[in-house]
Amino acid sequence: MTAWLLGFLLLTSHILGAMSAVMALMSSRTSQGAIAWILCLLTFPYVALPLYWVFGRPRFYGYVSAREERDSTMRRVLMRFRPKLSPWLSRPLGGNPTHLDAIERLAMMPVTTGNRAKLLINGEHTFDALFHAIDAAEDYILIQFFIVRNDELGVRLKQKLMRRAERGVRVCFLYDEIGSRKLPDGYLNDLLESGCEVSAFNSSRGWRHRFQINFRNHRKITVIDGRFGFVGGLNVGNEYLGHSERYGAWRDTHLKLEGPSVMGLQEAFWEDWHWATGEVLSLEWQPQISCDECQHVVIVPSGPADRRETASLLVQQAIHSSVSRIWITSPYFVPDQGVQDALKIAALRGVDVRVMIPERPDHLLVFLSAFSFLSEMIRSGVRVFRYQPGFLHQKVMLMDSHTATIGTVNLDNRSFRLNFEITAFVPDHQFASEVEAMLEEDFRHCREISCEELDARPMWRKLVSRAAYLLAPIQ
């Protein structure tokens, strides 16, 4: 009986392995990933099957289904909302119009004027502005973070949200259950008892999607009354203020928006909230204009429910469209082959290509992976800098002298294919000059990596880097 049962289990494992191998063949986003999964599933299905069900899914199928189910609801709301943007649909003067055509198609949102984009450098500046906006909220607060901690900064945020909720402001608080896994129930219960609405993103919601724990909602969005929006790299925790013994100074960048672009942030939150709770929020969709020198902005959401690999394509488009300069900062730098090749080609055609990464790692595998391909990039003319004073966490791009982006996208497989992310794309000379000044100051606190330094590493470190790079698809 025991032998019969063992044989049955082995046969079942191989059958399921073969079926999953067919799924991997048809759905994997890269040929390398498909080959790896197929070999593992056919050879060692007992081990590979659970790993594939957790890590091998190329798309967030539940979110895709939910999006299709609510298409009619979304369409009705968007038909009322999108025409209200018409007075502010315009393009910045000069530049390449086809460049912005591509960005708009990736974003599925138009470029609008009538915006004010304010650069927020580091945690103190960001949270001062954010808390001031929360204190002034009159109608609703939409707030979403990947990581929320129950420390001094987290408690300050909780208390401010509770006070607004107790005064009749609707507060919708959305968090990622993996990123905020250490957040205690007491924190959430305090918010609920004060009248806030609270939900985890619930990436594995329902029995059909229970293995989708490898997907994350990495977005950081705050919207106040449909008037003010915040987006960028900062989560909620004392380390983001530089109060961590492990990381020391924390270098990060956020953005405060006013104008029609806030509707783009609101739409992304609105869709995430509907997935998490099933509720269609009733919000203000009339853009609020309050600027003298208006800036152009488009919001680009991206994630594993997209038909395209939006985040990777956005980065590649930014690189290909750059004529004189492309500067990129990212805490995690393990881009796919398309982005690596785009950076090398840009450098070879004379573009000033610079990449800024941390000196200190916080995710060791991702940190080690980068050193497996940096020599080739540097030999092609890409300049790579390591930030010295503390941990670098900002996600910023600067293209030529006219465009900058700030958002949540890291240059790695997780941000490109597994995370829900969001980016503010700002084609504005004045804003780009502010970002340029900010990055020039950052470069003064960096040291440049040379091929000689990388080649001088001991063989064991080179082997470890190559081994880590093999795991890049699931890091």
Side-chain angles (χ1 to χ4, degrees), residues 65-80 270 274 280:
S65 302
R67 180 180 283 167
E68 291 170 353
E69 290 168 2
R70 67 176 179 269
D71 264 352
S72 59
T73 302
M74 289 183 67
R75 200 173 294 118
R76 286 196 299 270
V77 175
L78 294 180
M79 283 179 65
R80 295 196 300 269
W270 178 63
H274 184 84
V280 176

Side-chain angles (χ1 to χ4, degrees), residues 64-290:
V64 173
S65 302
R67 180 180 283 167
E68 291 170 353
E69 290 168 2
R70 67 176 179 269
D71 264 352
S72 59
T73 302
M74 289 183 67
R75 200 173 294 118
R76 286 196 299 270
V77 175
L78 294 180
M79 283 179 65
R80 295 196 300 269
F81 151 51
R82 291 291 174 86
K84 296 179 180 180
L85 295 176
S86 298
W88 297 282
L89 300 184
S90 74
R91 298 290 184 83
L93 298 176
N96 182 356
T98 59
H99 166 52
L100 288 180
D101 287 343
I103 299 300
E104 286 185 331
R105 291 191 179 110
L106 285 173
M108 294 190 291
M109 283 282 290
V111 175
T112 62
T113 187
N115 300 288
R116 179 185 287 123
K118 182 179 181 182
L119 197 60
L120 301 173
I121 300 174
N122 289 331
E124 293 288 351
H125 193 192
T126 296
F127 285 102
D128 283 349
L130 179 64
F131 289 161
H132 179 75
I134 288 173
D135 289 341
E138 298 177 352
D139 189 8
Y140 59 85
I141 298 169
L142 314 177
I143 189 159
Q144 172 179 8
F145 283 100
F146 176 62
I147 296 172
V148 180
R149 301 202 190 281
N150 186 33
D151 55 17
E152 182 182 353
L153 183 63
V155 170
R156 284 178 63 197
L157 174 65
K158 179 182 71 171
Q159 291 172 343
K160 286 182 176 294
L161 295 177
M162 290 169 59
R163 280 197 292 269
R164 298 319 295 166
E166 289 164 355
R167 295 178 184 178
V169 175
R170 186 176 190 184
V171 177
C172 297
F173 180 88
L174 184 63
Y175 64 97
D176 185 88
E177 63 269 33
I178 303 298
S180 299
R181 61 190 177 277
K182 295 181 180 179
L183 193 63
D185 291 341
Y187 187 103
L188 303 174
N189 290 335
D190 287 345
L191 288 171
L192 288 167
E193 289 172 4
S194 70
C196 298
E197 299 171 53
V198 177
S199 178
F201 180 63
N202 293 323
S203 57
S204 55
R205 188 191 73 187
W207 71 270
R208 290 179 59 196
H209 315 301
R210 62 191 179 279
F211 297 117
Q212 294 192 150
I213 60 174
N214 197 34
F215 297 108
R216 309 278 189 274
N217 196 313
H218 193 242
R219 293 170 179 165
K220 297 95 174 168
I221 298 172
T222 305
V223 175
I224 309 294
D225 297 339
R227 294 184 57 210
F228 305 105
F230 295 81
V231 65
L234 287 140
N235 288 295
V236 181
N238 286 345
E239 67 267 36
Y240 295 89
L241 297 175
H243 300 165
S244 167
E245 293 183 4
R246 177 182 177 186
Y247 300 114
W250 190 280
R251 179 68 190 89
D252 222 326
T253 301
H254 227 69
L255 184 65
K256 179 183 178 182
L257 292 170
E258 298 176 59
S261 60
V262 176
M263 299 295 100
L265 296 178
Q266 183 164 281
E267 185 178 324
F269 181 96
W270 178 63
E271 193 169 15
D272 287 348
W273 185 262
H274 184 84
W275 159 257
T277 68
E279 179 187 7
V280 176
L281 289 170
S282 178
L283 303 171
E284 174 58 59
W285 294 101
Q286 177 63 52
Q288 304 293 315
I289 311 300
S290 59

Side-chain angles (χ1 to χ4, degrees), residues 1 84 118 325 454-455 458 470:
M1 183 66 179
K84 296 179 180 180
K118 182 179 181 182
R325 168 175 58 194
L454 295 172
D455 293 342
L470 293 177

